[in-house]
Tab-separated table of all heavy atoms in Angstrom:
chain	number	residue	atom	x	y	z
A	1	ARG	N	4.873	4.891	-11.575
A	1	ARG	CA	4.433	3.513	-11.670
A	1	ARG	C	3.207	3.411	-12.591
A	1	ARG	O	2.429	4.362	-12.751
A	1	ARG	CB	4.062	2.998	-10.243
A	1	ARG	CG	5.247	3.027	-9.309
A	1	ARG	CD	6.352	2.133	-9.704
A	1	ARG	NE	7.474	2.144	-8.733
A	1	ARG	CZ	8.567	1.454	-8.856
A	1	ARG	NH1	8.741	0.656	-9.946
A	1	ARG	NH2	9.514	1.482	-7.971
A	2	GLY	N	3.041	2.233	-13.229
A	2	GLY	CA	1.990	2.068	-14.185
A	2	GLY	C	0.679	1.573	-13.594
A	2	GLY	O	-0.392	2.132	-13.882
A	3	ALA	N	0.701	0.539	-12.767
A	3	ALA	CA	-0.525	-0.049	-12.209
A	3	ALA	C	-1.097	0.960	-11.191
A	3	ALA	O	-0.377	1.742	-10.581
A	3	ALA	CB	-0.211	-1.388	-11.505
A	4	ARG	N	-2.415	0.891	-11.059
A	4	ARG	CA	-3.080	1.794	-10.145
A	4	ARG	C	-3.431	1.160	-8.805
A	4	ARG	O	-3.975	1.783	-7.897
A	4	ARG	CB	-4.329	2.374	-10.753
A	4	ARG	CG	-4.249	2.780	-12.183
A	4	ARG	CD	-2.994	3.524	-12.547
A	4	ARG	NE	-2.801	4.804	-11.827
A	4	ARG	CZ	-1.655	5.431	-11.775
A	4	ARG	NH1	-0.589	4.950	-12.344
A	4	ARG	NH2	-1.589	6.592	-11.111
A	5	SER	N	-3.173	-0.165	-8.703
A	5	SER	CA	-3.554	-0.876	-7.441
A	5	SER	C	-2.549	-1.988	-7.224
A	5	SER	O	-1.660	-2.255	-8.038
A	5	SER	CB	-4.973	-1.384	-7.531
A	5	SER	OG	-5.070	-2.389	-8.558
A	6	ASN	N	-2.749	-2.712	-6.088
A	6	ASN	CA	-1.803	-3.782	-5.716
A	6	ASN	C	-2.486	-4.922	-5.011
A	6	ASN	O	-2.106	-5.371	-3.953
A	6	ASN	CB	-0.727	-3.149	-4.806
A	6	ASN	CG	0.546	-3.967	-4.812
A	6	ASN	OD1	0.971	-4.370	-5.902
A	6	ASN	ND2	1.200	-4.219	-3.705
A	7	GLN	N	-3.561	-5.402	-5.672
A	7	GLN	CA	-4.333	-6.510	-5.101
A	7	GLN	C	-3.490	-7.770	-4.993
A	7	GLN	O	-2.578	-7.998	-5.760
A	7	GLN	CB	-5.560	-6.775	-5.966
A	7	GLN	CG	-6.550	-5.642	-6.009
A	7	GLN	CD	-7.091	-5.262	-4.613
A	7	GLN	OE1	-7.485	-6.140	-3.845
A	7	GLN	NE2	-7.069	-3.956	-4.290
A	8	SER	N	-3.884	-8.646	-3.968
A	8	SER	CA	-3.193	-9.842	-3.808
A	8	SER	C	-3.281	-10.780	-5.049
A	8	SER	O	-4.221	-10.643	-5.807
A	8	SER	CB	-3.809	-10.632	-2.606
A	8	SER	OG	-3.696	-9.888	-1.443
A	9	GLY	N	-2.304	-11.637	-5.227
A	9	GLY	CA	-2.289	-12.540	-6.377
A	9	GLY	C	-3.393	-13.607	-6.238
A	9	GLY	O	-3.873	-13.851	-5.212
A	10	ARG	N	-3.679	-14.253	-7.402
A	10	ARG	CA	-4.791	-15.208	-7.464
A	10	ARG	C	-4.524	-16.459	-6.674
A	10	ARG	O	-5.471	-17.245	-6.432
A	10	ARG	CB	-5.151	-15.521	-8.904
A	10	ARG	CG	-4.010	-16.156	-9.676
A	10	ARG	CD	-4.325	-16.201	-11.144
A	10	ARG	NE	-3.226	-16.793	-11.932
A	10	ARG	CZ	-2.098	-16.191	-12.231
A	10	ARG	NH1	-1.922	-14.934	-11.861
A	10	ARG	NH2	-1.177	-16.842	-12.981
A	11	PHE	N	-3.285	-16.718	-6.260
A	11	PHE	CA	-2.981	-17.947	-5.532
A	11	PHE	C	-2.974	-17.781	-4.065
A	11	PHE	O	-2.768	-18.744	-3.309
A	11	PHE	CB	-1.611	-18.470	-6.001
A	11	PHE	CG	-1.543	-18.841	-7.428
A	11	PHE	CD1	-0.849	-18.101	-8.333
A	11	PHE	CD2	-2.212	-19.942	-7.925
A	11	PHE	CE1	-0.771	-18.409	-9.656
A	11	PHE	CE2	-2.183	-20.312	-9.286
A	11	PHE	CZ	-1.478	-19.523	-10.169
A	12	GLU	N	-3.205	-16.527	-3.558
A	12	GLU	CA	-3.158	-16.305	-2.134
A	12	GLU	C	-4.445	-16.797	-1.443
A	12	GLU	O	-5.530	-16.784	-2.039
A	12	GLU	CB	-3.000	-14.796	-1.848
A	12	GLU	CG	-1.747	-14.186	-2.492
A	12	GLU	CD	-0.493	-15.003	-2.041
A	12	GLU	OE1	-0.184	-15.001	-0.846
A	12	GLU	OE2	0.149	-15.582	-2.917
A	13	ALA	N	-4.237	-17.252	-0.219
A	13	ALA	CA	-5.405	-17.800	0.541
A	13	ALA	C	-6.381	-16.713	0.926
A	13	ALA	O	-7.569	-16.940	1.022
A	13	ALA	CB	-4.879	-18.521	1.782
A	14	TYR	N	-5.894	-15.505	1.121
A	14	TYR	CA	-6.759	-14.386	1.498
A	14	TYR	C	-6.573	-13.213	0.498
A	14	TYR	O	-5.421	-12.930	0.084
A	14	TYR	CB	-6.410	-13.893	2.887
A	14	TYR	CG	-6.551	-14.955	3.966
A	14	TYR	CD1	-5.433	-15.665	4.392
A	14	TYR	CD2	-7.795	-15.187	4.527
A	14	TYR	CE1	-5.548	-16.651	5.377
A	14	TYR	CE2	-7.894	-16.221	5.498
A	14	TYR	CZ	-6.786	-16.902	5.902
A	14	TYR	OH	-6.928	-17.877	6.846
A	15	GLN	N	-7.648	-12.581	0.187
A	15	GLN	CA	-7.610	-11.411	-0.695
A	15	GLN	C	-7.759	-10.188	0.230
A	15	GLN	O	-8.609	-10.100	1.105
A	15	GLN	CB	-8.730	-11.401	-1.682
A	15	GLN	CG	-8.653	-12.535	-2.645
A	15	GLN	CD	-7.467	-12.420	-3.566
A	15	GLN	OE1	-7.225	-11.318	-4.090
A	15	GLN	NE2	-6.733	-13.498	-3.798
A	16	ARG	N	-6.808	-9.203	0.056
A	16	ARG	CA	-6.824	-8.026	0.921
A	16	ARG	C	-7.240	-6.807	0.094
A	16	ARG	O	-6.781	-6.617	-1.033
A	16	ARG	CB	-5.431	-7.827	1.495
A	16	ARG	CG	-5.052	-8.930	2.475
A	16	ARG	CD	-3.553	-8.838	2.818
A	16	ARG	NE	-3.202	-9.817	3.831
A	16	ARG	CZ	-2.967	-11.117	3.545
A	16	ARG	NH1	-3.035	-11.569	2.265
A	16	ARG	NH2	-2.655	-12.004	4.502
A	17	GLU	N	-8.043	-5.982	0.692
A	17	GLU	CA	-8.551	-4.759	0.029
A	17	GLU	C	-8.141	-3.577	0.868
A	17	GLU	O	-8.532	-3.538	2.085
A	17	GLU	CB	-10.033	-4.826	-0.191
A	17	GLU	CG	-10.556	-3.636	-0.977
A	17	GLU	CD	-12.014	-3.790	-1.303
A	17	GLU	OE1	-12.554	-4.945	-1.245
A	17	GLU	OE2	-12.670	-2.751	-1.589
A	18	ALA	N	-7.425	-2.625	0.278
A	18	ALA	CA	-7.072	-1.432	1.022
A	18	ALA	C	-8.251	-0.564	1.355
A	18	ALA	O	-9.219	-0.523	0.576
A	18	ALA	CB	-6.029	-0.621	0.252
A	19	PHE	N	-8.238	0.073	2.517
A	19	PHE	CA	-9.354	0.914	2.899
A	19	PHE	C	-8.767	2.230	3.493
A	19	PHE	O	-7.918	2.189	4.345
A	19	PHE	CB	-10.228	0.238	3.947
A	19	PHE	CG	-11.311	1.121	4.513
A	19	PHE	CD1	-12.413	1.454	3.787
A	19	PHE	CD2	-11.187	1.585	5.819
A	19	PHE	CE1	-13.391	2.271	4.306
A	19	PHE	CE2	-12.148	2.431	6.363
A	19	PHE	CZ	-13.246	2.721	5.627
A	20	ASP	N	-9.259	3.329	2.975
A	20	ASP	CA	-8.809	4.627	3.474
A	20	ASP	C	-9.673	5.077	4.660
A	20	ASP	O	-10.892	5.387	4.443
A	20	ASP	CB	-8.921	5.664	2.318
A	20	ASP	CG	-8.271	6.969	2.741
A	20	ASP	OD1	-7.863	7.159	3.919
A	20	ASP	OD2	-8.172	7.889	1.850
A	21	ASP	N	-9.124	5.054	5.861
A	21	ASP	CA	-9.913	5.432	7.045
A	21	ASP	C	-9.725	6.918	7.438
A	21	ASP	O	-10.144	7.313	8.485
A	21	ASP	CB	-9.488	4.550	8.264
A	21	ASP	CG	-8.027	4.692	8.610
A	21	ASP	OD1	-7.343	5.519	7.918
A	21	ASP	OD2	-7.565	4.039	9.549
A	22	GLY	N	-9.119	7.673	6.507
A	22	GLY	CA	-8.960	9.107	6.725
A	22	GLY	C	-7.576	9.501	7.301
A	22	GLY	O	-7.285	10.682	7.419
A	23	TRP	N	-6.761	8.522	7.655
A	23	TRP	CA	-5.456	8.861	8.192
A	23	TRP	C	-4.430	9.181	7.136
A	23	TRP	O	-3.304	9.617	7.387
A	23	TRP	CB	-4.925	7.719	9.084
A	23	TRP	CG	-5.588	7.690	10.390
A	23	TRP	CD1	-6.675	6.924	10.754
A	23	TRP	CD2	-5.272	8.469	11.572
A	23	TRP	NE1	-7.015	7.182	12.049
A	23	TRP	CE2	-6.151	8.100	12.589
A	23	TRP	CE3	-4.256	9.411	11.841
A	23	TRP	CZ2	-6.076	8.700	13.854
A	23	TRP	CZ3	-4.192	9.953	13.075
A	23	TRP	CH2	-5.122	9.606	14.097
A	24	GLY	N	-4.779	8.890	5.853
A	24	GLY	CA	-3.786	9.041	4.802
A	24	GLY	C	-3.267	10.487	4.689
A	24	GLY	O	-2.061	10.716	4.617
A	25	ALA	N	-4.173	11.480	4.704
A	25	ALA	CA	-3.756	12.859	4.568
A	25	ALA	C	-2.876	13.244	5.759
A	25	ALA	O	-1.943	13.987	5.599
A	25	ALA	CB	-4.996	13.743	4.479
A	26	VAL	N	-3.204	12.729	6.924
A	26	VAL	CA	-2.397	13.053	8.136
A	26	VAL	C	-1.006	12.536	8.000
A	26	VAL	O	-0.023	13.225	8.254
A	26	VAL	CB	-3.075	12.477	9.416
A	26	VAL	CG1	-2.161	12.718	10.588
A	26	VAL	CG2	-4.417	13.131	9.635
A	27	ALA	N	-0.897	11.305	7.547
A	27	ALA	CA	0.427	10.701	7.344
A	27	ALA	C	1.263	11.449	6.354
A	27	ALA	O	2.464	11.615	6.556
A	27	ALA	CB	0.276	9.261	6.936
A	28	LYS	N	0.639	11.933	5.322
A	28	LYS	CA	1.398	12.615	4.246
A	28	LYS	C	1.902	13.979	4.788
A	28	LYS	O	2.921	14.486	4.325
A	28	LYS	CB	0.583	12.786	3.020
A	28	LYS	CG	0.422	11.482	2.263
A	28	LYS	CD	-0.417	11.695	0.982
A	28	LYS	CE	-0.578	10.341	0.235
A	28	LYS	NZ	-1.341	10.502	-0.967
A	29	THR	N	1.145	14.649	5.613
A	29	THR	CA	1.564	15.940	6.125
A	29	THR	C	2.594	15.777	7.250
A	29	THR	O	3.324	16.733	7.591
A	29	THR	CB	0.326	16.720	6.695
A	29	THR	OG1	-0.211	15.983	7.762
A	29	THR	CG2	-0.708	16.960	5.652
A	30	GLY	N	2.658	14.593	7.823
A	30	GLY	CA	3.623	14.308	8.898
A	30	GLY	C	3.184	14.837	10.276
A	30	GLY	O	3.946	14.859	11.235
A	31	SER	N	1.939	15.320	10.388
A	31	SER	CA	1.468	15.901	11.621
A	31	SER	C	1.209	14.872	12.680
A	31	SER	O	1.221	15.120	13.871
A	31	SER	CB	0.227	16.786	11.427
A	31	SER	OG	-0.790	15.974	10.858
A	32	GLU	N	0.888	13.672	12.258
A	32	GLU	CA	0.590	12.576	13.220
A	32	GLU	C	0.803	11.237	12.565
A	32	GLU	O	0.566	11.064	11.360
A	32	GLU	CB	-0.873	12.676	13.694
A	32	GLU	CG	-1.051	12.778	15.189
A	32	GLU	CD	-2.477	12.771	15.566
A	32	GLU	OE1	-3.087	13.823	15.362
A	32	GLU	OE2	-2.992	11.719	16.030
A	33	GLY	N	1.390	10.279	13.270
A	33	GLY	CA	1.522	8.918	12.695
A	33	GLY	C	2.608	8.848	11.654
A	33	GLY	O	3.273	9.793	11.298
A	34	ASP	N	2.783	7.616	11.158
A	34	ASP	CA	3.787	7.365	10.150
A	34	ASP	C	3.300	6.256	9.281
A	34	ASP	O	3.948	5.127	9.284
A	34	ASP	CB	5.143	7.060	10.833
A	34	ASP	CG	6.255	6.946	9.794
A	34	ASP	OD1	6.085	7.507	8.699
A	34	ASP	OD2	7.272	6.311	10.129
A	35	LEU	N	2.246	6.408	8.538
A	35	LEU	CA	1.676	5.301	7.816
A	35	LEU	C	2.327	5.135	6.437
A	35	LEU	O	2.744	6.134	5.854
A	35	LEU	CB	0.152	5.570	7.633
A	35	LEU	CG	-0.626	5.692	8.934
A	35	LEU	CD1	-2.127	5.917	8.605
A	35	LEU	CD2	-0.471	4.472	9.790
A	36	PRO	N	2.382	3.910	5.926
A	36	PRO	CA	3.054	3.685	4.629
A	36	PRO	C	2.229	4.019	3.414
A	36	PRO	O	1.741	3.144	2.734
A	36	PRO	CB	3.348	2.150	4.689
A	36	PRO	CG	2.218	1.633	5.498
A	36	PRO	CD	1.883	2.655	6.489
A	37	LEU	N	2.044	5.326	3.208
A	37	LEU	CA	1.242	5.763	2.060
A	37	LEU	C	2.111	6.690	1.211
A	37	LEU	O	1.953	7.935	1.196
A	37	LEU	CB	0.004	6.483	2.515
A	37	LEU	CG	-0.977	5.661	3.409
A	37	LEU	CD1	-2.102	6.557	3.899
A	37	LEU	CD2	-1.544	4.490	2.628
A	38	PRO	N	3.125	6.147	0.507
A	38	PRO	CA	4.083	6.963	-0.154
A	38	PRO	C	3.612	7.593	-1.452
A	38	PRO	O	2.760	7.012	-2.154
A	38	PRO	CB	5.215	5.993	-0.461
A	38	PRO	CG	4.484	4.669	-0.656
A	38	PRO	CD	3.365	4.726	0.304
A	39	ASP	N	4.144	8.748	-1.812
A	39	ASP	CA	3.952	9.284	-3.159
A	39	ASP	C	4.789	8.537	-4.176
A	39	ASP	O	4.468	8.441	-5.315
A	39	ASP	CB	4.286	10.800	-3.196
A	39	ASP	CG	3.259	11.644	-2.556
A	39	ASP	OD1	2.054	11.294	-2.615
A	39	ASP	OD2	3.585	12.688	-1.964
A	40	ARG	N	5.883	7.949	-3.678
A	40	ARG	CA	6.794	7.162	-4.541
A	40	ARG	C	6.994	5.798	-3.880
A	40	ARG	O	7.006	5.681	-2.676
A	40	ARG	CB	8.141	7.889	-4.694
A	40	ARG	CG	8.030	9.199	-5.415
A	40	ARG	CD	9.429	9.804	-5.660
A	40	ARG	NE	9.310	11.120	-6.350
A	40	ARG	CZ	9.196	11.282	-7.630
A	40	ARG	NH1	9.175	10.246	-8.415
A	40	ARG	NH2	9.102	12.487	-8.145
A	41	LEU	N	7.170	4.833	-4.727
A	41	LEU	CA	7.317	3.459	-4.259
A	41	LEU	C	8.701	2.952	-4.650
A	41	LEU	O	9.010	2.861	-5.791
A	41	LEU	CB	6.250	2.558	-4.890
A	41	LEU	CG	5.943	1.234	-4.194
A	41	LEU	CD1	5.476	1.417	-2.762
A	41	LEU	CD2	4.933	0.472	-5.015
A	42	ALA	N	9.572	2.730	-3.621
A	42	ALA	CA	10.965	2.343	-3.950
A	42	ALA	C	10.992	0.947	-4.521
A	42	ALA	O	10.181	0.109	-4.189
A	42	ALA	CB	11.759	2.449	-2.637
A	43	THR	N	11.958	0.737	-5.362
A	43	THR	CA	12.199	-0.610	-5.939
A	43	THR	C	12.976	-1.441	-4.943
A	43	THR	O	14.003	-0.996	-4.467
A	43	THR	CB	12.940	-0.506	-7.284
A	43	THR	OG1	12.142	0.222	-8.231
A	43	THR	CG2	13.258	-1.871	-7.828
A	44	VAL	N	12.539	-2.692	-4.739
A	44	VAL	CA	13.250	-3.648	-3.914
A	44	VAL	C	13.730	-4.786	-4.806
A	44	VAL	O	12.947	-5.322	-5.581
A	44	VAL	CB	12.335	-4.192	-2.809
A	44	VAL	CG1	13.033	-5.275	-2.004
A	44	VAL	CG2	11.842	-3.068	-1.873
A	45	VAL	N	15.047	-5.111	-4.740
A	45	VAL	CA	15.618	-6.195	-5.537
A	45	VAL	C	15.848	-7.411	-4.654
A	45	VAL	O	16.513	-7.318	-3.633
A	45	VAL	CB	16.953	-5.780	-6.216
A	45	VAL	CG1	17.530	-6.915	-7.064
A	45	VAL	CG2	16.706	-4.549	-7.087
A	46	LEU	N	15.262	-8.541	-5.032
A	46	LEU	CA	15.379	-9.776	-4.309
A	46	LEU	C	16.183	-10.792	-5.157
A	46	LEU	O	16.152	-10.704	-6.378
A	46	LEU	CB	13.972	-10.320	-3.997
A	46	LEU	CG	13.020	-9.400	-3.245
A	46	LEU	CD1	11.612	-9.997	-3.184
A	46	LEU	CD2	13.560	-9.089	-1.850
A	47	LYS	N	16.769	-11.767	-4.509
A	47	LYS	CA	17.535	-12.751	-5.221
A	47	LYS	C	16.665	-13.873	-5.702
A	47	LYS	O	15.868	-14.437	-4.903
A	47	LYS	CB	18.645	-13.341	-4.338
A	47	LYS	CG	19.547	-14.352	-5.062
A	47	LYS	CD	20.621	-14.885	-4.197
A	47	LYS	CE	21.461	-15.920	-4.912
A	47	LYS	NZ	22.581	-16.426	-4.105
């Protein structure tokens, strides 16, 4: 993927900022939890 981030669009009522609370490494190893922090981002096709 080319972009390095995924900030909300300028028309959204709320701006969201991702925050790493330390669970990312755990999710990637699979030892605990199942958080959506993928190495790859699947393409979704909408109509």
